[in-house]
Amino acid sequence: MLDIAPELREWCLGERDFALATVVSVTGSAPRLPGAALAVDEAGAALGSVSGGCVEGAVYELCLEAMETGVPVRRRFGYSDDDAFAVGLTCGGVLDVLVMPVRRGHPVRPALAAALDAVADGRPAALARVADGPGELIGRGALAVRPDGTYDGTLCGSPALDATAAAEAAALLAQGRTAAVHIGTEGGVCGEPVTLFVESAAAPPRLLVFGAIDFAAALVRAGRFLGCHVTVCDARPVFTTTERFPGAHEVVTDWPHRYLEGEARAGRLDARTALCVLTHDPKFDVPLLELALRLPVGYIGAMGSRRTHRDRLARLREAGVPDEAIARLRSPIGLDLAARTPEETALSIAAEIVASRHGGTGVPLSRTAVAIHRPPAPEPVTASARPV
């Protein structure tokens, strides 16, 4: 849904009736992940996609039906062995799609509008809906949840259900995750089982580039292309200028380890943060990596030759960094693309960041048997099983 948020917000503001179809579960290989959405208005205009074409026509018809009846519906689409041209996914996967009418006065509309307003303003928010459970709850309402757990809307169940759902959604929002979670109709895990689908609109992942060199300029552009919030940091003011890095969101003149320490202390780093150390100068690299390898960030890579890397490892061990922490370091940085130019090098680094984030192998797909479209890594979790 977040892919079509700007247009969908205009539909809400214009008080247009529409139906919203959302992929709430994926099994096996499928072209779109949970959260992919198709919206169809009262005039038959369409926004977005749930499958890249495989089942689009069938979902479109379900949207028209939901607008006419006012009744939400959940439908499963999979591959048909008997008829490859039947409604199904020829890639072999299975999609579960939730179709909700969003008519004027419908309980879903206020929460959806609040979530879309937050996205438009760049504020983090989560949208929670019942994707499976008692029929009177599936797709009947929604919650727009803020980071502090406060919310707008209702799931049309008990206040305890709304409170539990808001707490679960806030926890997923803090991680920037879109996922399913199992709760109960009476709050916690009490009552009948309910599967809650939560879409998170969090701040974009961060890319921290240390070293104001020409390779950094190319990596900044690649990071922007991937939707990251990009920061360039270097202690040398003559090189660290906005003129040299016009694509960066922030250009910071500071010692890299001191800047990183401040960001960690302020709580602005998380598992989606990628750190790229391009300075290959021990006086910058070692203090920075000594700190970075102890932080819960998602990716840490350092540029340099294999000889530089061996020297760097020796210095890190002398500084007391344990081997299990050093094992997180990706150096030499990037995938083996035989890259030579800054742009090619940036591509190899960006590709490694993407692969590490999603569990990719970095091996050509033509030489593997892995699924092209991976299912989401996390399985739905039960509220009672989540660590306190």
Side-chain angles (χ1 to χ4, degrees):
M1 185 197 71
L2 301 178
D3 293 339
I4 58 174
E7 297 91 344
L8 206 56
R9 181 171 181 259
E10 292 301 315
W11 285 14
C12 280
L13 291 174
E15 298 188 350
R16 188 182 308 194
D17 286 344
F18 60 92
L20 179 63
T22 307
V23 177
V24 294
S25 177
V26 173
T27 303
S29 180
R32 301 297 305 274
L33 293 176
L38 170 70
V40 180
D41 75 355
E42 52 199 344
L47 293 173
S49 169
V50 293
S51 70
C54 303
V55 300
E56 227 67 39
V59 176
Y60 180 90
E61 294 298 326
L62 285 176
C63 287
L64 294 178
E65 179 184 325
M67 270 194 293
E68 181 178 346
T69 64
V71 178
V73 61
R74 175 178 169 133
R75 184 68 55 84
R76 173 165 290 183
F77 296 95
Y79 178 68
S80 169
D81 290 322
D82 296 329
D83 182 2
F85 295 99
V87 174
L89 294 170
T90 55
C91 53
V94 176
L95 294 180
D96 286 304
V97 178
L98 176 65
V99 181
M100 304 170 63
V102 187
R103 303 193 294 193
R104 289 181 287 275
H106 195 280
V108 170
R109 197 172 190 110
L112 178 60
L116 294 172
D117 285 343
V119 172
D121 294 340
R123 293 178 282 114
L127 184 70
R129 291 169 282 174
V130 174
D132 202 4
E136 66 273 15
L137 293 179
I138 297 177
R140 299 288 178 172
L143 298 179
V145 183
R146 291 174 281 273
D148 62 359
T150 58
Y151 58 91
D152 297 314
T154 178
L155 296 178
C156 300
S158 67
L161 173 62
D162 287 348
T164 297
E168 296 295 330
L172 288 171
L173 178 59
Q175 303 171 49
R177 289 178 54 204
T178 290
V181 61
H182 296 315
I183 60 176
T185 54
E186 302 302 322
V189 292
C190 300
E192 296 183 67
V194 166
T195 300
L196 192 70
F197 182 68
V198 180
E199 291 180 81
S200 292
R206 297 191 66 186
L207 173 62
L208 306 183
V209 181
F210 297 99
I213 63 175
D214 51 354
F215 287 92
L219 186 55
V220 165
R221 294 192 293 272
R224 287 290 296 251
F225 178 74
L226 292 177
C228 297
H229 182 95
V230 184
T231 301
V232 175
C233 177
D234 197 305
R236 302 166 295 179
V238 67
F239 299 117
T240 316
T241 66
T242 55
E243 290 77 16
R244 294 192 69 218
F245 303 99
H249 295 91
E250 298 173 296
V251 178
V252 178
T253 304
D254 199 352
W255 278 82
H257 72 279
R258 187 164 60 191
Y259 170 75
L260 186 63
E261 185 177 18
E263 293 300 287
R265 192 181 301 114
R268 290 191 285 265
L269 307 176
D270 60 27
R272 300 180 303 147
T273 302
L275 274 63
C276 297
V277 182
L278 310 185
T279 51
H280 48 269
D281 184 333
K283 68 176 178 291
F284 295 121
D285 289 4
V286 174
L288 174 61
L289 290 171
E290 185 182 351
L291 171 62
L293 291 169
R294 291 185 168 94
L295 296 176
V297 297
Y299 174 93
I300 305 170
M303 179 176 277
S305 67
R306 297 190 186 280
R307 179 177 179 179
T308 299
H309 176 59
R310 288 193 295 270
D311 177 70
R312 185 186 289 132
L313 292 182
R315 292 173 183 270
L316 288 171
R317 291 189 175 101
E318 287 175 9
V321 181
D323 285 345
E324 57 268 26
I326 289 175
R328 298 177 57 206
L329 177 60
R330 295 172 180 265
S331 180
I333 195 170
L335 298 182
D336 177 18
L337 304 185
R340 294 192 176 274
T341 67
E343 288 73 20
E344 290 173 347
T345 302
L347 177 62
S348 78
I349 296 170
E352 186 176 46
I353 291 172
V354 172
S356 69
R357 180 177 297 162
H358 300 299
T361 64
V363 176
L365 287 170
S366 62
R367 299 182 183 179
T368 73
V370 300
I372 297 173
H373 306 294
R374 309 287 180 86
E379 293 294 324
V381 293
T382 302
S384 61
R386 181 173 286 109
V388 178

